[in-house]
Amino acid sequence: MIKGIIFDLDGTLLNTIEDLTDSLNHALKEVNQPTYTSEVVQSFIGNGMYRLVDLALKERATQQEIEHVMELFKEEYAKRYTNKTLPYPNIKLVVKTSKEFGLKLGVCSNKANKYVQPLIDFHFGEDVFDFLLGEVDYIPRKPDPAMALEVCENLGLSTDECLFVGDSIVDIKTARSAKMPVCAVTFGFSDKEVLEKENPEYIAHDALELKSIIETVGH
């Protein structure tokens, strides 16, 4: 039986795309590089900030150039990350219901760890989630299973007791590597057709459908 839910953050709990796009474009303008629409930036997300910047620079920049833009991007994002970011419709209800069921709640995100706690506290309140983990230097990021396993361990649960919820192929691969059942959500940053081809155990097209899935697996 499922006793815990591990959520991805960007594209699953929170729509962060506008703040990420604004911050990235500011950094790109600083180095006279072309900017992007939020739809294009959305396609870059899922493998951490370094990979996002690398893709924005069309994978042609040197490591030094990438790191320079990374610093500009991080400086700007630190100022903007709560400006336009919002929870997806009804996702607060999903979290509230899951908590009321007595399920343990975790977050496993490739977003820099320093942003995860303040974003969760700001949008969902303190002490709602039991353990949060973003990208840190000492744990390989998703799709390596290490982050998911770390969250699972801190929730005090076995992998088959946790449902991983995410919006990307990276999340599906993470869950499978960690031997956790996975629910893909199609309201985030990935195309529905791409996710459906991966044949996740569960798929939710909106937060209310996700709520119904959690109610089913959590009983």
Side-chain angles (χ1 to χ4, degrees):
M1 189 175 88
I2 296 300
K3 297 180 180 179
I5 312 294
I6 299 176
F7 293 93
D8 170 53
L9 185 60
D10 297 64
T12 301
L13 290 172
L14 298 176
N15 187 346
T16 56
I17 192 61
E18 296 302 331
D19 286 329
L20 287 167
T21 300
D22 290 349
S23 303
L24 178 64
N25 283 339
H26 176 89
L28 292 171
K29 285 178 185 175
E30 289 289 303
V31 293
N32 298 311
Q33 290 293 321
T35 58
Y36 296 94
T37 64
S38 58
E39 288 77 16
V40 175
V41 173
Q42 187 167 295
S43 71
F44 296 161
I45 292 172
N47 287 287
M49 283 187 164
Y50 187 94
R51 181 61 176 157
L52 189 157
V53 171
D54 188 27
L55 289 169
L57 294 172
K58 300 182 179 178
E59 299 180 314
R60 292 199 293 260
T62 64
Q63 184 176 347
Q64 187 176 11
E65 289 168 338
I66 293 170
E67 288 175 356
H68 176 57
V69 176
M70 269 281 292
E71 287 307 309
L72 294 172
F73 174 41
K74 287 193 291 186
E75 285 174 15
E76 196 62 24
Y77 190 63
K79 302 172 191 173
R80 296 177 182 264
Y81 72 100
T82 59
N83 284 5
K84 299 177 182 177
T85 290
L86 290 170
Y88 283 99
N90 295 309
I91 203 71
K92 284 189 175 183
L93 178 61
V94 172
V95 171
K96 180 174 179 288
T97 301
S98 300
K99 192 74 174 176
E100 288 172 351
F101 281 173
L103 297 172
K104 297 275 190 177
L105 302 182
V107 169
C108 180
S109 173
N110 277 346
K111 180 185 266 339
N113 192 55
K114 68 177 181 178
Y115 298 118
V116 174
Q117 184 87 52
L119 278 170
I120 289 294
D121 289 351
F122 183 80
H123 290 288
F124 296 95
E126 297 178 16
D127 303 322
V128 174
F129 285 81
D130 298 284
F131 186 74
L132 310 171
L133 182 63
E135 185 179 19
V136 290
D137 292 337
Y138 54 90
I139 302 177
R141 65 174 179 263
K142 301 182 294 184
D144 189 289
M147 290 182 74
L149 294 172
E150 180 75 11
V151 176
C152 199
E153 182 178 343
N154 278 274
L155 294 179
L157 300 173
S158 62
T159 56
D160 59 356
E161 291 176 324
C162 291
L163 176 69
F164 200 104
V165 178
D167 72 306
S168 70
I169 290 178
V170 168
D171 294 313
I172 295 172
K173 288 180 177 178
T174 301
R176 287 189 172 146
S177 296
K179 295 181 169 50
M180 295 179 186
V182 62
C183 178
V185 299
T186 64
F187 51 78
F189 295 164
S190 299
D191 291 335
K192 179 178 72 170
E193 293 76 15
V194 171
L195 296 174
E196 287 173 342
K197 284 178 183 176
E198 294 296 312
N199 295 313
E201 284 87 347
Y202 307 96
I203 193 159
H205 303 294
D206 57 44
L208 292 180
E209 191 171 359
L210 174 59
K211 176 175 171 286
S212 296
I213 290 167
I214 291 173
E215 287 172 348
T216 300
V217 301
H219 279 86

